[in-house]
Amino acid sequence: MSTPATPAIEVRTVTDDEFTDWIRAVNVGFLRPPAVDEEYVSGLRANSDLSRIQGAFDAGRCVATFRSFAQELTTVGGAALPVSAVSGVTVTPTHRRRGLLTRMMATELAAAKERGEIASTLIAAEYPIYGRYGYGPASHITEWEIDTARAGLDPRWAAPADGGSVELVPLADAAKLGAEVFERFRPTRPGVIDRDRRWWDLTTGVVRRYDPWTEPFFAVYRTPDGDPAGFVGYRADDKWSDAKLPENTATVADLIALTPGAERALWHYLCSIDWIRKVRTGRRAPDDLLPQYLPNPRAAAIVTHSDYLWLRLLDVVRVLEARTYASEGAVVLEVVDPAGLAAGRFLLETDEAGARCTPTTRSAELTLDVRELASIYLGDESVRRLLALGRVTEERAGAAARADGLFRTAGRPWCPDMF
């Protein structure tokens, strides 16, 4: 007697009636309690395009999830790129190793290219997963823990020396002031992504993703003229020693500043709060100025350093023409992409008028995978480092150094947000 065939697992977009079950499957995949909050589901549904949400269904049960949404990514020089942000990627433990992610990813990347989104972004939960789909780590984050007693800051500090001020702001004003600072900051740093109204609603507790929720403190730095030029959101625990001495930690959720002076003032404010003995900085750029703001930089110990934003290029011409470059020059790149979405040979030329990228039949000077080009793109990686690692092939002597001269940036990219 033959064994009945196992029904095929169906991968498709999710219907409105299936959205709650899809959220439940997301929770299972991320090892969160399967129960869902209906208010949160309703809010997410109102801000989601079902045509961009996929699920894998086995006998009607959702066993894998995948979501994308439109996003803007700041590139070098300040331009905002239209990209597809990937999130909510899970496979239920009972259905691993069946190619479900590969099927969903192929559908999404083809659709993103068709929509005119020139790249795709994601935050990788695990390092080995996404390179095989053409993504490369394009930015890193570092988190420090500051020992305030050893930082060497003036314990009598009460206000910024530049004549500005730091003030706590009520929850009702936090989103407006924070968004005002952030929108002015966003074009200044490669790797930053846009924040919509829902981001601020989640940050300020108007919408709650999980319970329990603890309301943060919010503070704003104002210039001597009264203009908001820095913003910080943070929480503090309540921990005391057996000798009744404070051992509290302030944990930063978000700190954005328009000038080094504004940033310095906010860090000094945090380190001067009574009872606070440690400050956890949250996700910062690896080359953040913070440790050097302290008279004793060793008081800021690194507690986390990791890859963060991953990038997948879909339109090499538009992507390379969108950013600015550090010098004038030209290089011919052979871009390898097994998926065929961004493969080709391209001549990149830069001068004071901008950048031009065109398909070419000229001999390649550098050969690299699309994921390596993504790592170079925002300035987080060096071509010569990748050459030394065997991930770039130099077809013409000196091409790697020349490419580094073009792609070099003054600072490393930074993505402060999770999505």
Side-chain angles (χ1 to χ4, degrees):
M1 180 181 295
S2 62
T3 302
T6 302
I9 297 176
E10 183 182 16
V11 174
R12 56 172 172 78
T13 54
V14 174
T15 67
D16 198 55
D17 291 341
E18 295 168 332
F19 190 72
T20 298
D21 288 338
W22 183 88
I23 292 287
R24 187 174 291 109
V26 171
N27 288 347
V28 170
F30 284 115
L31 300 181
R32 297 193 290 255
V36 296
D37 180 89
E38 291 301 330
E39 183 178 355
Y40 171 74
V41 170
S42 297
L44 183 60
R45 173 64 190 91
N47 287 272
S48 298
D49 179 353
L50 286 181
S51 70
R52 299 180 67 142
I53 297 179
Q54 299 182 67
F57 294 87
D58 187 358
R61 178 189 169 209
C62 187
V63 295
T65 63
F66 193 109
R67 172 178 176 248
S68 76
F69 57 92
Q71 185 183 76
E72 290 185 350
L73 170 69
T74 302
T75 189
V76 181
L81 306 184
V83 303
S84 177
V86 170
S87 184
V89 178
T90 74
V91 177
T92 301
T94 55
H95 286 70
R96 299 167 67 241
R97 304 292 184 263
R98 304 192 192 185
L100 300 181
L101 173 56
T102 297
R103 292 168 64 185
M104 293 187 293
M105 182 65 78
T107 298
E108 161 57 26
L109 292 179
K113 190 173 177 69
E114 181 68 24
R115 289 189 297 261
E117 292 160 331
I118 61 179
S120 176
T121 59
L122 55 81
I123 308 294
E126 296 182 63
Y127 194 97
I129 296 175
Y130 294 100
R132 64 181 185 267
Y133 303 119
Y135 289 83
S139 79
H140 287 68
I141 54 95
T142 302
E143 180 177 13
W144 286 268
E145 182 176 87
I146 305 170
D147 184 336
T148 60
R150 295 181 178 273
L153 296 169
D154 184 357
R156 299 167 297 176
W157 185 90
D162 62 3
S165 64
V166 176
E167 62 184 56
L168 286 165
V169 295
L171 191 65
D173 298 333
K176 177 179 181 298
L177 288 167
E180 180 180 341
V181 172
F182 180 78
E183 288 305 316
R184 292 168 63 192
F185 168 79
R186 183 158 69 103
T188 69
R189 190 71 182 247
V192 173
I193 57 177
D194 61 317
R195 296 175 176 178
D196 60 13
R197 179 66 206 188
R198 181 172 172 80
W199 190 96
W200 290 104
D201 285 346
L202 287 165
T203 298
T204 57
V206 174
V207 175
R208 299 186 183 183
R209 181 175 298 173
Y210 312 116
D211 284 324
W213 187 82
T214 303
E215 181 177 323
F217 299 95
F218 294 102
V220 64
Y221 165 85
R222 293 186 183 276
T223 67
D225 295 331
D227 295 326
F231 178 82
V232 63
Y234 63 97
R235 292 178 171 87
D237 61 12
D238 184 17
K239 185 177 179 181
W240 293 72
S241 73
D242 293 336
K244 205 172 178 1
L245 295 174
E247 296 182 348
N248 301 305
T249 297
T251 300
V252 174
D254 187 35
L255 192 152
I256 300 294
L258 301 181
T259 66
E263 188 174 342
R264 180 191 297 271
L266 290 173
W267 288 122
H268 204 157
Y269 160 73
L270 291 165
C271 290
S272 70
I273 299 172
D274 288 341
W275 300 353
I276 295 299
R277 294 295 175 262
K278 305 282 187 183
V279 174
R280 299 280 297 226
T281 66
R283 298 180 292 266
R284 310 298 300 173
D287 60 349
D288 198 270
L289 295 174
L290 168 66
Q292 301 304 319
Y293 284 139
L294 307 177
N296 180 9
R298 290 185 185 180
I302 293 175
V303 293
T304 302
H305 177 77
S306 179
D307 59 280
Y308 198 65
L309 182 75
W310 287 59
L311 182 65
R312 206 285 185 206
L313 307 183
L314 295 171
D315 188 327
V316 172
V317 170
R318 290 175 62 195
V319 163
L320 293 186
E321 289 185 341
R323 60 157 285 178
T324 58
Y325 294 85
S327 61
E328 296 185 6
V331 64
V332 179
L333 305 173
E334 181 80 36
V335 180
V336 178
D337 182 0
L341 297 169
R345 188 176 301 167
F346 304 92
L347 169 62
L348 173 65
E349 301 173 287
T350 69
D351 56 33
E352 60 183 14
R356 296 170 303 283
C357 181
T358 53
T360 183
T361 57
R362 290 171 51 173
S363 298
E365 296 176 291
L366 287 174
T367 298
L368 71 171
D369 192 278
V370 66
R371 62 179 179 265
E372 314 304 346
L373 183 57
S375 293
I376 295 164
Y377 179 67
L378 294 177
D380 200 52
E381 187 53 272
S382 156
V383 180
R384 280 175 289 189
R385 272 174 49 89
L386 294 178
L387 179 64
L389 290 166
R391 298 176 186 171
V392 168
T393 301
E394 189 175 52
E395 311 289 359
R396 182 175 180 181
R402 187 155 25 94
D404 268 341
L406 298 178
F407 283 90
R408 183 178 65 247
T409 57
R412 296 181 69 172
W414 179 41
C415 178
D417 297 331
M418 174 69 73
F419 59 90

